[in-house]
């Protein structure tokens, strides 16, 4: 006879889950292995943007898309959200995307995989 676990059921959060990326090597590996339904988000200081901005790395078809979006302070939640100015760049290979991305990275690394 099998045992059945009892106790409170775990509720899933609505939305998507994120995993914090702490190592550059891990970030690089994730860029090379991106699938269409995955992405990476990190914070960077990019010329032309006030303060810091969000950088999103996603895969579209056979290219890697790097989107830079301004960080706007949401007055209600007191958190930064993407908005305002944005820029899109497309790269044919993970190597080309990494060459661009690696110049934007700051330490300590503040990046997430979703």
């Amino acid at each position: 006879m099998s045992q059945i676990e009892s106790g409170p059921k775990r509720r899933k959060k609505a939305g998507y889950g994120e995993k914090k990326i702490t190592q550059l090597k891990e970030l690089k590996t994730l860029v090379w292995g991106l699938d269409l339904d995955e992405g990476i988000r990190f914070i960077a200081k990019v010329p032309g943007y006030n303060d810091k901005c969000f950088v999103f790395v996603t895969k579209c078809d056979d290219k890697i898309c790097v989107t830079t979006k301004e960080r706007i302070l949401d007055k209600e939640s007191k958190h930064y959200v993407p908005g305002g100015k944005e820029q899109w760049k497309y790269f044919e290979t993970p190597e080309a995307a990494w060459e661009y991305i690696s110049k934007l990275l700051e330490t300590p690394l503040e990046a997430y995989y979703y």
Side-chain angles (χ1 to χ4, degrees):
M1 220 174 203
S2 65
Q3 273 187 305
I4 300 174
E5 287 186 19
S6 63
K9 290 186 178 182
R10 295 170 103 184
R11 289 181 19 184
K12 288 186 178 181
K13 278 182 162 181
Y16 59 87
E18 289 187 335
K19 178 184 180 269
K20 186 167 177 62
I21 303 166
T22 57
Q23 302 291 321
L24 260 169
K25 184 178 178 180
E26 180 184 16
L27 178 60
K28 189 174 184 180
T29 299
L30 290 168
V31 169
W32 259 255
L34 271 179
D35 284 332
L36 292 172
D37 61 346
E38 299 172 326
I40 298 165
R41 171 178 54 88
F42 64 92
I43 304 215
K45 203 166 208 173
V46 177
Y49 288 85
N50 297 334
D51 200 15
K52 294 182 179 180
C53 62
F54 290 110
V55 179
F56 296 91
V57 183
T58 56
K59 189 166 187 179
C60 343
D61 295 324
D62 59 344
K63 295 182 181 171
I64 295 177
C65 178
V66 178
T67 309
T68 308
K69 292 190 179 191
E70 190 173 0
R71 291 183 346 144
I72 307 293
L73 184 62
D74 179 63
K75 291 177 183 174
E76 283 185 36
S77 70
K78 306 287 189 242
H79 289 96
Y80 284 102
V81 296
K85 182 178 177 179
E86 63 182 47
Q87 179 182 12
W88 301 70
K89 290 186 179 282
Y90 293 89
F91 299 92
E92 299 290 330
T93 64
E95 293 86 358
W98 182 254
E99 186 176 329
Y100 177 75
I101 292 166
S102 64
K103 293 174 184 169
L104 303 176
L105 296 172
E106 298 181 326
T107 53
L109 185 60
E110 189 175 346
Y112 298 87
Y113 170 73
Y114 56 92

